Amino acid sequence: MVFFHMDNIRNKDSAKLLDVLHSMNLQQHVQQPTHIKGHLLDLIITRSNEDIVDTIHYHPMLISDHAPLTFHILAAKPPAVRKAISFRKIKDINLKEFEKDILESDLVTCPSDDINELVKQYNRTLTSLMEKHAPIIRKDILVRQNTKWFTEEIKTAKQKRRQQERKWLVDKSTVNLEILREKRNSVNRLVAASKKAYYQSEIENNKKDQKALFNITGQLLHKKKDCVQPSHTDPKQMANSFATFFTDKIETIRQGFDITSDVPSHPDALSIVPTLSSFLPISSKDLKKLISGGNSKSSILDPFPTSILKDLLDCLVPTITNIVNKSIQACSFPDDFKQAAVTPLLKKPSLDKEQLSNYRPVSGLPYLGKLTEKVIVSQLNDHMNQHDLHNPMQSAYRKGHSTETALVKVINDLLLAIDSKQCVLLVMLDLSAAFDTVEHSVLLHRLEKDFGISGCAKTWLQSYFSSRKQYVSINGTFSDPQPLNNGMPQGSVLGPFCFPPYTSPLFSITEGHNCRAHMYADDTQLYMSFNEGDGEKVLKQMELCIEDIRCWMRTNFLKLNDSKTEFLVISKKGCKVANLSTVQSVSIGNDHVEAVSSAKNIGAFIDNHLTMEHQVSYVCKNCYIGLYQISQIRSYITQDAAAIIVSALVTSKLDCLNSLLYGIPDYQLKRLQLVQNNAARVVTGTKRSENITPVLKKLHWLPIVFRIDYKILLLCFKALNGQAPKYLSELLVFYVPQRNLRSTGQNLLVEPKARLKTYGDRAFSVCAPKLWNKLPEYMRNCDDLNVFKLDLKTYLFKKAFAHC
């Protein structure tokens, strides 16, 4: 038996145990010495997300040389809660009668020619029909857990159990006690069987809907979904308080900008670009396809749920097409679509719910308004793609672009720099309420000068951004309207799409300072590599670049959050570059940002030696949380259902950003593999003493190393076939022999040489060609993504389990 002191942070065993606890989402509560010699040996360990341990009492050492510990577990029964609810019986709607009423209404027989009146007519007609076919019902109910699995058979069995319990309480006989136990066991069996059947059915019906799977898991784990709000007695007053707070917050930020009469420009503003002077109307067929393929989210501002709209699509699509096309023809966005219903949501459960600053505004916009935006965005995107107007280093809101592709590019550059005996300065800029402070006049000017949006198209966009307003909703009560004179509408489709063009001049600034930049929406990464002795020089260059960015942002109504910007000095482990100590902080405005050892960058933790240890720990921790949740409900679900939930809660996390983990040390990969092994044991009920490899093969799960290879090869295929960002395609070069060889026409890639296995060999531009060239020729020549996926999975599966 080995003992080690948890109070000694330098002890390797203590450090390893703490790392294991962190990875498995556990926390240790004992903070005082528990041994006679003043060391901490006795531990109390719980899960980090469970606040169940009350004050710990340390008692005197009497018999043993260890101090006894006592504490209370907080597990009180929650009090009964009553709640006022309102709902409509949507499922009871007779769709044929509803459709008949729509076709006989003025909306169809006598539609208005004015776009604003037509939208009002649409909302008025459908609202009145909803009141007719599914009027609002209001009830005061006792809040209970979900018991849809509760059947009459269970109810009868519980009544008989209670009757038998009364009999036993009267005579306390052994016979009645045995009968009571049998009836108790019968109730338990019925409940377990009913729960199992109900949740199996729910999971099977929603196996392709990850959100629904999360909701089902939440029901089984009794997770609360109540919307947290500050204490209040008057919903109207609270709604107005929130509305004023959200508006004042943006106004306070804007007061610090350098507001000038001239619209800011940049050197490329006078360049000639192809124009888009008008938007084209859409056909009913295309609009129907767009609606059917989209989600069914509804807003409180909609006259009826989107799910009903889809059920009645055949009779409504002509009217909806008319609304969208009239908006395009009139170069006007309807006034009723410019309203937003804002719901304040607490940013984190741990924050004080009484502080308004701890809430973020989440907007709900009318469905038809967002549908109209989708039509416009589709045409704007086609225009920008056709004329190559997107900045290649902006990865947000573009097909084939993601946080993963952006990180692959940046990490590739960092790894190659280290492989070339260089160090890198990496700065991650943070903006305050970036989307909410955008100046519409600046945006429209930039869209016209830099992207060719003119004429009726520009007029429509001007109408879209003007005269907008929002209401804050608290328990169905709206605040007074608040004007939105600036910013991108939250929850919109067009707003986020327009943000990258708004910030496009930033790349001209970074290029002028020989600084590399990559953006994902408002998340900006700046990085510069340097050789030995050039640290201070490059640091000053970086600071000048950031200062120019700050100046540009102030004149373009964007605020750089100096104090929240993060800075890393990335180098090889054990780097001995001279003067590295002089580049441990960067000046940003009046703040000096100290270099950190690790920071989260658009979803991934990057450390100063690119070991990815923090990222692996983060993934393991979140996966073990999911596994614990699934283990709690495993008895109620089948193996197939468990596999589906594991895929949603665990496997998805293992696969997320795993292309960044190629070539990391084996002990880190082993940690991830242990997570997958535990997931397989939870799904199949396999014991720890049994070999897990046959189980993984039976489940058809690729081991972690091969999952990483799969992701890299998939990105490689997309890059070679024009389905990935241009910045990834440029990293790959086809091998062209100088003369006719057998390798001609085999789609082989040039394999760059790297110096360091732990750095250069991990770069996408190095590892992707190596993996690609090892594929069979028929796979390298494939041009269909779905076929390639199937062939690649089969190829790697055979390779992974060749000796099994």
Side-chain angles (χ1 to χ4, degrees), residues 420-533:
S420 300
K421 299 183 179 180
Q422 293 182 312
C423 297
V424 186
L425 304 181
L426 174 63
V427 179
M428 289 163 283
L429 302 180
D430 182 84
L431 274 67
S432 297
F435 284 71
D436 298 324
T437 60
V438 168
E439 179 66 25
H440 298 154
S441 60
V442 177
L443 172 63
L444 293 170
H445 174 83
R446 190 155 294 137
L447 287 173
E448 181 178 23
K449 296 299 181 183
D450 295 0
F451 299 92
I453 311 301
S454 60
C456 186
K458 182 184 176 183
T459 304
W460 190 95
L461 290 171
Q462 191 169 11
S463 171
Y464 172 83
F465 286 111
S466 64
S467 305
R468 302 192 71 94
K469 56 186 176 182
Q470 69 179 21
Y471 307 84
V472 173
S473 174
I474 299 291
N475 299 334
T477 302
F478 287 103
S479 69
D480 296 329
Q482 294 287 331
L484 291 176
N485 300 320
N486 42 68
M488 303 294 191
Q490 280 200 19
S492 66
V493 179
L494 182 59
F497 180 84
C498 288
F499 188 80
Y502 187 81
T503 57
S504 59
L506 282 175
F507 292 99
S508 298
I509 297 173
T510 58
E511 287 173 8
H513 290 275
N514 294 319
C515 176
R516 292 188 177 188
H518 202 110
M519 296 184 69
Y520 190 88
D522 61 322
D523 291 310
T524 306
Q525 304 164 77
L526 306 176
Y527 53 104
M528 300 177 72
S529 56
F530 61 93
N531 295 311
E532 183 176 351

